[in-house]
Amino acid sequence: MRDLGAGFGYLVQGQRWVGRHGRWFGIGLLPGLITLVLYAAALVGLGYGADDLVDWATPFADDWSSPWLGLLRTTLTVLVFGFGLFLAVITFTAVTLLVGQPFYESLSEEVDRTEGGEVPESGLPLWRELWISARDSVRVLVRVGLYSLLLFALGFVPVLGQTVVPVLGFCVTGYFLAEELTAVALQRRGMVLKDRLALLRGRRLLTLGFGVPLGLAFLVPFVAVFLMPGAVAGATLLARDLVAPENEDDGEMENGDGEDASAGVAGVTPGPAAH
């Protein structure tokens, strides 16, 4: 349970970091504002069209008597809008990071620089970084879509759909939000999506402690935009912690003669990032 608190602590530390570096806070706001306008328009359209969509999808209920017709379609309308809002929360980070890739990568590098130690650089041209980010985001969104469909179906189960399913939904949201945000720092460290997911699975509670509160905060209009710069900064601090065991292991792998120092030590295993 300590990891849950530590994950939330990285979120707070990230907001404090941008608070002390106002220039980077301003730079980090711009991509979020652009994305917010696009998503607000989409959600307004969904809000106006959800009931028509449900009417079209349930012609079998046209002859139902009151109150069953209204109850069914109202419930489905709420679920459709909730599903759209859930996807908006998940995809907002991916789209914002894609729009603001150069800005957020520079912000992440500055966090590494101010915190000391190595400041990794990908060494890739911008178009290549954008391609990798877009490709990985699609892969993540496919996973999210599968989870969303499953949770959407489970939402119809009495009691379970109104209690356990929403909690699981926020956990899924938080987990993949954390993945998208830490990807900025971890990609600069040469980690591909498979390795990043393995790294986060190794510290699930830490990941959820960071991502779930952020996912809840992103449900409040405009909050996501203002939290985004600090979220990238906090995710960089989190990434530094996640790869620290690997760095320590790397430092212990060589002795003064350049030999493998772990060769004679029983039970030495690589950290999660080494998968």
Side-chain angles (χ1 to χ4, degrees):
M1 296 299 291
R2 182 182 300 175
D3 269 359
L4 282 175
F8 181 71
Y10 283 117
L11 181 58
V12 174
Q13 291 175 42
Q15 303 305 321
R16 289 177 177 172
W17 189 93
V18 295
R20 297 193 303 268
H21 301 79
R23 171 174 171 266
W24 289 102
F25 177 71
I27 291 173
L29 282 180
L30 185 59
L33 288 171
I34 295 172
T35 309
L36 177 66
V37 171
L38 297 175
Y39 272 66
L43 286 174
V44 168
L46 180 61
Y48 278 106
D51 52 350
D52 292 333
L53 177 63
V54 169
D55 290 348
W56 171 82
T58 56
F60 59 86
D62 288 341
D63 297 329
W64 287 18
S65 60
S66 179
W68 306 115
L69 174 62
L71 182 62
L72 171 68
R73 288 181 170 170
T74 298
T75 301
L76 290 178
T77 299
V78 171
L79 287 173
V80 166
F81 187 79
F83 181 69
L85 185 62
F86 175 77
L87 288 181
V89 171
I90 290 294
T91 59
F92 180 87
T93 303
V95 174
T96 302
L97 288 173
L98 187 62
V99 171
Q101 174 76 21
F103 304 101
Y104 292 134
E105 185 164 330
S106 297
L107 190 157
S108 180
E109 289 178 0
E110 186 64 20
V111 172
D112 275 329
R113 190 171 293 111
T114 58
E115 294 300 310
E118 182 184 2
V119 182
E121 295 183 7
S122 66
L124 298 174
L126 178 59
W127 71 267
R128 180 65 176 171
E129 292 180 349
L130 290 174
W131 164 249
I132 293 173
S133 296
R135 181 195 63 192
D136 288 350
S137 293
V138 170
R139 291 175 176 176
V140 168
L141 291 177
V142 168
R143 289 175 167 84
V144 173
L146 293 175
Y147 280 113
S148 299
L149 289 174
L150 176 61
L151 292 173
F152 183 74
L154 291 175
F156 292 97
V157 178
V159 182
L160 180 69
Q162 293 75 48
T163 54
V164 177
V165 171
V167 174
L168 291 177
F170 282 118
C171 287
V172 170
T173 301
Y175 182 85
F176 286 106
L177 274 177
E179 194 288 322
E180 291 282 359
L181 289 164
T182 54
V184 177
L186 294 177
Q187 282 179 0
R188 290 191 293 107
R189 289 164 167 81
M191 296 191 68
V192 297
L193 177 61
K194 179 181 178 181
D195 292 336
R196 297 198 305 268
L197 290 173
L199 189 65
L200 295 177
R201 282 197 300 270
R203 300 289 297 277
R204 278 191 180 89
L205 291 180
L206 184 68
T207 302
L208 292 176
F210 178 86
V212 172
L214 190 61
L216 290 169
F218 275 18
L219 292 177
V220 181
F222 304 109
V223 166
V225 175
F226 291 99
L227 289 184
M228 196 65 181
V232 173
T236 302
L237 296 173
L238 173 60
R240 289 167 61 91
D241 181 22
L242 289 172
V243 300
E246 180 187 24
N247 293 337
E248 291 171 3
D249 288 345
D250 290 344
E252 293 172 356
M253 289 296 289
E254 294 184 0
N255 58 19
D257 297 325
E259 298 174 350
D260 187 348
S262 65
V265 180
V268 174
T269 56
H275 291 301

